Amino acid sequence: MMKQNFLILFALMLAISIASCKKEDEQLIPSGIDDTYKVPQGNNAFDQTIVNYYNAYGTYMLYKFSEKDVYWTPTGWKKPVSTNGAWSPGAEVEPSDPAYVAPQLALIKSKWFDFYTDKFLKQFLPVKIMLCKKVDSVFTTYIFTPIITASKGTKKVAAFYNYDNIQVNYGDATVSTMTAAEQRAFIYKVNLIFMQSIFARGLSAPSSDFASSADYMSNVSSLSQAYSRGIIMGTSNISAQLDWNAYITAMVTYSTPQLNASVANTDSTPAGMLNATKDTAGQIKRRYNIVRNYFINEYGVDLQVIGNATRGL
């Protein structure tokens, strides 16, 4: 009888435990996230390319999407809005024209994906890539006469990111007429946005040897002092994470000749950061190599190749 009661009690406790786990699992699913995306979205020849990318990297490349797909985040709606004439930052987008999705995908492959390995893309691509024929950065501009008035400013950009997606431009006829300069600008912008998206999602932490190779505890009073320590992120709120991000950004946006040029140590851009004018103690070069070699060894990706490509090298 005692054995029978024990078995009943055990079964009851097991059922409660399973029910509790199921509830906890459900609570771990973020509310408001639409996980019903499906590819292919059509029966065009390029749809198979999109399906292949999803199978390889788990990323949805969407040319049919809603505003919610683009602008929803856990902290609020991110579509630009006007308040008393001042505009919140963000981008306005329109889905690609299906007639130009194939060449747009070719552009994305040659000027973005081909710089990385499958391992890198699988780990760092966002949930969604929105294929667009319009990506306009929105900002506040001012008219000064007859009185100062805030108004809406827009600028066509190659890419923009928001929470779980990157919006990519050129899903229209302009994809077929891009100049060499426009293609270099596309490389610059889309890869910079990719890195910023990675930073925003907290996916890349500094390696231990990088974090321990500079003093982030003491105050920094000038750029020259920061450079002497191998810190390139500036002088305020310095941290290994922000500095790691700054080194990555420098590599994907500046060419080797630009990084090695002689530039005054009062300049806050990455230009000249590997030259002795800024790098008086050789610390920047040493830490640059730590970051560059980390991505080469861990992912087979040389980030400096991207920066060189932005300048046609």
Side-chain angles (χ1 to χ4, degrees), residues 205-225:
S207 62
S208 58
D209 52 346
F210 179 86
S212 63
S213 63
D215 175 13
Y216 292 103
M217 301 303 294
S218 304
N219 290 332
V220 176
S221 59
S222 67
L223 281 172
S224 60
Q225 185 183 40

PDB file of all heavy atoms in Angstrom, residues 205-225:
ATOM      1  N   ALA A 205      31.603  40.068 -28.128  1.00  0.00           N
ATOM      2  CA  ALA A 205      32.282  40.558 -26.938  1.00  0.00           C
ATOM      3  C   ALA A 205      33.786  40.590 -27.177  1.00  0.00           C
ATOM      4  O   ALA A 205      34.327  39.777 -27.941  1.00  0.00           O
ATOM      5  CB  ALA A 205      31.968  39.661 -25.742  1.00  0.00           C
ATOM      6  N   PRO A 206      34.508  41.508 -26.551  1.00  0.00           N
ATOM      7  CA  PRO A 206      35.959  41.555 -26.725  1.00  0.00           C
ATOM      8  C   PRO A 206      36.625  40.299 -26.204  1.00  0.00           C
ATOM      9  O   PRO A 206      36.196  39.724 -25.192  1.00  0.00           O
ATOM     10  CB  PRO A 206      36.367  42.786 -25.913  1.00  0.00           C
ATOM     11  CG  PRO A 206      35.237  43.045 -24.978  1.00  0.00           C
ATOM     12  CD  PRO A 206      34.005  42.563 -25.661  1.00  0.00           C
ATOM     13  N   SER A 207      37.662  39.867 -26.898  1.00  0.00           N
ATOM     14  CA  SER A 207      38.418  38.706 -26.432  1.00  0.00           C
ATOM     15  C   SER A 207      39.156  39.076 -25.149  1.00  0.00           C
ATOM     16  O   SER A 207      39.401  40.259 -24.868  1.00  0.00           O
ATOM     17  CB  SER A 207      39.412  38.255 -27.508  1.00  0.00           C
ATOM     18  OG  SER A 207      40.360  39.278 -27.768  1.00  0.00           O
ATOM     19  N   SER A 208      39.535  38.083 -24.380  1.00  0.00           N
ATOM     20  CA  SER A 208      40.185  38.339 -23.089  1.00  0.00           C
ATOM     21  C   SER A 208      41.521  39.052 -23.266  1.00  0.00           C
ATOM     22  O   SER A 208      41.870  39.936 -22.464  1.00  0.00           O
ATOM     23  CB  SER A 208      40.379  37.028 -22.323  1.00  0.00           C
ATOM     24  OG  SER A 208      41.146  36.113 -23.084  1.00  0.00           O
ATOM     25  N   ASP A 209      42.275  38.681 -24.314  1.00  0.00           N
ATOM     26  CA  ASP A 209      43.574  39.332 -24.503  1.00  0.00           C
ATOM     27  C   ASP A 209      43.405  40.787 -24.934  1.00  0.00           C
ATOM     28  O   ASP A 209      44.217  41.645 -24.584  1.00  0.00           O
ATOM     29  CB  ASP A 209      44.454  38.565 -25.493  1.00  0.00           C
ATOM     30  CG  ASP A 209      43.770  38.261 -26.817  1.00  0.00           C
ATOM     31  OD1 ASP A 209      42.540  38.390 -26.900  1.00  0.00           O
ATOM     32  OD2 ASP A 209      44.481  37.875 -27.764  1.00  0.00           O
ATOM     33  N   PHE A 210      42.327  41.091 -25.654  1.00  0.00           N
ATOM     34  CA  PHE A 210      42.062  42.484 -26.003  1.00  0.00           C
ATOM     35  C   PHE A 210      41.670  43.277 -24.756  1.00  0.00           C
ATOM     36  O   PHE A 210      42.199  44.358 -24.499  1.00  0.00           O
ATOM     37  CB  PHE A 210      40.949  42.571 -27.044  1.00  0.00           C
ATOM     38  CG  PHE A 210      40.593  43.979 -27.435  1.00  0.00           C
ATOM     39  CD1 PHE A 210      41.290  44.628 -28.437  1.00  0.00           C
ATOM     40  CD2 PHE A 210      39.547  44.661 -26.804  1.00  0.00           C
ATOM     41  CE1 PHE A 210      40.971  45.937 -28.799  1.00  0.00           C
ATOM     42  CE2 PHE A 210      39.221  45.968 -27.157  1.00  0.00           C
ATOM     43  CZ  PHE A 210      39.936  46.605 -28.162  1.00  0.00           C
ATOM     44  N   ALA A 211      40.749  42.747 -23.972  1.00  0.00           N
ATOM     45  CA  ALA A 211      40.250  43.461 -22.791  1.00  0.00           C
ATOM     46  C   ALA A 211      41.348  43.738 -21.778  1.00  0.00           C
ATOM     47  O   ALA A 211      41.325  44.767 -21.094  1.00  0.00           O
ATOM     48  CB  ALA A 211      39.120  42.665 -22.143  1.00  0.00           C
ATOM     49  N   SER A 212      42.311  42.825 -21.691  1.00  0.00           N
ATOM     50  CA  SER A 212      43.375  42.983 -20.694  1.00  0.00           C
ATOM     51  C   SER A 212      44.578  43.764 -21.214  1.00  0.00           C
ATOM     52  O   SER A 212      45.523  44.000 -20.459  1.00  0.00           O
ATOM     53  CB  SER A 212      43.843  41.603 -20.219  1.00  0.00           C
ATOM     54  OG  SER A 212      44.417  40.859 -21.284  1.00  0.00           O
ATOM     55  N   SER A 213      44.521  44.193 -22.478  1.00  0.00           N
ATOM     56  CA  SER A 213      45.694  44.837 -23.068  1.00  0.00           C
ATOM     57  C   SER A 213      45.667  46.351 -22.992  1.00  0.00           C
ATOM     58  O   SER A 213      46.534  47.029 -23.554  1.00  0.00           O
ATOM     59  CB  SER A 213      45.839  44.406 -24.543  1.00  0.00           C
ATOM     60  OG  SER A 213      44.723  44.839 -25.309  1.00  0.00           O
ATOM     61  N   ALA A 214      44.675  46.925 -22.305  1.00  0.00           N
ATOM     62  CA  ALA A 214      44.607  48.381 -22.132  1.00  0.00           C
ATOM     63  C   ALA A 214      44.008  48.699 -20.767  1.00  0.00           C
ATOM     64  O   ALA A 214      43.235  47.918 -20.209  1.00  0.00           O
ATOM     65  CB  ALA A 214      43.787  49.027 -23.238  1.00  0.00           C
ATOM     66  N   ASP A 215      44.370  49.870 -20.242  1.00  0.00           N
ATOM     67  CA  ASP A 215      43.873  50.324 -18.945  1.00  0.00           C
ATOM     68  C   ASP A 215      42.592  51.127 -19.153  1.00  0.00           C
ATOM     69  O   ASP A 215      42.624  52.250 -19.647  1.00  0.00           O
ATOM     70  CB  ASP A 215      44.939  51.196 -18.275  1.00  0.00           C
ATOM     71  CG  ASP A 215      44.462  51.810 -16.967  1.00  0.00           C
ATOM     72  OD1 ASP A 215      43.404  51.381 -16.453  1.00  0.00           O
ATOM     73  OD2 ASP A 215      45.141  52.730 -16.467  1.00  0.00           O
ATOM     74  N   TYR A 216      41.469  50.527 -18.754  1.00  0.00           N
ATOM     75  CA  TYR A 216      40.183  51.214 -18.861  1.00  0.00           C
ATOM     76  C   TYR A 216      39.711  51.756 -17.513  1.00  0.00           C
ATOM     77  O   TYR A 216      38.642  52.360 -17.436  1.00  0.00           O
ATOM     78  CB  TYR A 216      39.128  50.266 -19.429  1.00  0.00           C
ATOM     79  CG  TYR A 216      39.364  49.886 -20.869  1.00  0.00           C
ATOM     80  CD1 TYR A 216      39.894  48.645 -21.197  1.00  0.00           C
ATOM     81  CD2 TYR A 216      39.064  50.773 -21.900  1.00  0.00           C
ATOM     82  CE1 TYR A 216      40.119  48.297 -22.521  1.00  0.00           C
ATOM     83  CE2 TYR A 216      39.283  50.437 -23.221  1.00  0.00           C
ATOM     84  CZ  TYR A 216      39.819  49.194 -23.524  1.00  0.00           C
ATOM     85  OH  TYR A 216      40.050  48.861 -24.841  1.00  0.00           O
ATOM     86  N   MET A 217      40.490  51.531 -16.475  1.00  0.00           N
ATOM     87  CA  MET A 217      40.075  51.949 -15.134  1.00  0.00           C
ATOM     88  C   MET A 217      40.471  53.391 -14.839  1.00  0.00           C
ATOM     89  O   MET A 217      39.764  54.105 -14.131  1.00  0.00           O
ATOM     90  CB  MET A 217      40.683  51.013 -14.091  1.00  0.00           C
ATOM     91  CG  MET A 217      40.295  49.551 -14.256  1.00  0.00           C
ATOM     92  SD  MET A 217      38.488  49.309 -14.231  1.00  0.00           S
ATOM     93  CE  MET A 217      38.116  49.769 -12.539  1.00  0.00           C
ATOM     94  N   SER A 218      41.607  53.828 -15.370  1.00  0.00           N
ATOM     95  CA  SER A 218      42.070  55.192 -15.115  1.00  0.00           C
ATOM     96  C   SER A 218      41.398  56.171 -16.069  1.00  0.00           C
ATOM     97  O   SER A 218      41.060  55.826 -17.202  1.00  0.00           O
ATOM     98  CB  SER A 218      43.592  55.270 -15.285  1.00  0.00           C
ATOM     99  OG  SER A 218      44.246  54.333 -14.461  1.00  0.00           O
ATOM    100  N   ASN A 219      41.237  57.389 -15.613  1.00  0.00           N
ATOM    101  CA  ASN A 219      40.627  58.419 -16.449  1.00  0.00           C
ATOM    102  C   ASN A 219      41.520  58.749 -17.641  1.00  0.00           C
ATOM    103  O   ASN A 219      42.745  58.660 -17.563  1.00  0.00           O
ATOM    104  CB  ASN A 219      40.376  59.687 -15.633  1.00  0.00           C
ATOM    105  CG  ASN A 219      39.270  59.506 -14.610  1.00  0.00           C
ATOM    106  OD1 ASN A 219      38.367  58.691 -14.804  1.00  0.00           O
ATOM    107  ND2 ASN A 219      39.328  60.268 -13.530  1.00  0.00           N
ATOM    108  N   VAL A 220      40.874  59.157 -18.726  1.00  0.00           N
ATOM    109  CA  VAL A 220      41.581  59.598 -19.920  1.00  0.00           C
ATOM    110  C   VAL A 220      41.213  61.057 -20.162  1.00  0.00           C
ATOM    111  O   VAL A 220      40.034  61.388 -20.291  1.00  0.00           O
ATOM    112  CB  VAL A 220      41.200  58.743 -21.144  1.00  0.00           C
ATOM    113  CG1 VAL A 220      41.866  59.293 -22.398  1.00  0.00           C
ATOM    114  CG2 VAL A 220      41.603  57.295 -20.934  1.00  0.00           C
ATOM    115  N   SER A 221      42.216  61.915 -20.238  1.00  0.00           N
ATOM    116  CA  SER A 221      41.947  63.350 -20.336  1.00  0.00           C
ATOM    117  C   SER A 221      42.129  63.911 -21.737  1.00  0.00           C
ATOM    118  O   SER A 221      41.713  65.041 -22.011  1.00  0.00           O
ATOM    119  CB  SER A 221      42.852  64.121 -19.363  1.00  0.00           C
ATOM    120  OG  SER A 221      44.223  63.864 -19.661  1.00  0.00           O
ATOM    121  N   SER A 222      42.747  63.141 -22.644  1.00  0.00           N
ATOM    122  CA  SER A 222      42.974  63.649 -23.994  1.00  0.00           C
ATOM    123  C   SER A 222      43.056  62.492 -24.975  1.00  0.00           C
ATOM    124  O   SER A 222      43.300  61.337 -24.590  1.00  0.00           O
ATOM    125  CB  SER A 222      44.271  64.463 -24.052  1.00  0.00           C
ATOM    126  OG  SER A 222      45.394  63.613 -23.832  1.00  0.00           O
ATOM    127  N   LEU A 223      42.848  62.809 -26.259  1.00  0.00           N
ATOM    128  CA  LEU A 223      42.963  61.785 -27.290  1.00  0.00           C
ATOM    129  C   LEU A 223      44.373  61.220 -27.349  1.00  0.00           C
ATOM    130  O   LEU A 223      44.565  60.007 -27.507  1.00  0.00           O
ATOM    131  CB  LEU A 223      42.565  62.365 -28.654  1.00  0.00           C
ATOM    132  CG  LEU A 223      41.076  62.495 -28.941  1.00  0.00           C
ATOM    133  CD1 LEU A 223      40.855  63.255 -30.246  1.00  0.00           C
ATOM    134  CD2 LEU A 223      40.410  61.119 -29.015  1.00  0.00           C
ATOM    135  N   SER A 224      45.363  62.076 -27.214  1.00  0.00           N
ATOM    136  CA  SER A 224      46.740  61.594 -27.284  1.00  0.00           C
ATOM    137  C   SER A 224      47.034  60.601 -26.164  1.00  0.00           C
ATOM    138  O   SER A 224      47.738  59.606 -26.370  1.00  0.00           O
ATOM    139  CB  SER A 224      47.722  62.766 -27.228  1.00  0.00           C
ATOM    140  OG  SER A 224      47.576  63.499 -26.013  1.00  0.00           O
ATOM    141  N   GLN A 225      46.475  60.841 -24.996  1.00  0.00           N
ATOM    142  CA  GLN A 225      46.648  59.901 -23.887  1.00  0.00           C
ATOM    143  C   GLN A 225      45.934  58.591 -24.172  1.00  0.00           C
ATOM    144  O   GLN A 225      46.464  57.504 -23.898  1.00  0.00           O
ATOM    145  CB  GLN A 225      46.121  60.525 -22.595  1.00  0.00           C
ATOM    146  CG  GLN A 225      46.362  59.651 -21.355  1.00  0.00           C
ATOM    147  CD  GLN A 225      45.774  60.264 -20.095  1.00  0.00           C
ATOM    148  OE1 GLN A 225      44.677  60.823 -20.123  1.00  0.00           O
ATOM    149  NE2 GLN A 225      46.499  60.170 -18.991  1.00  0.00           N
TER     150      GLN A 225
END
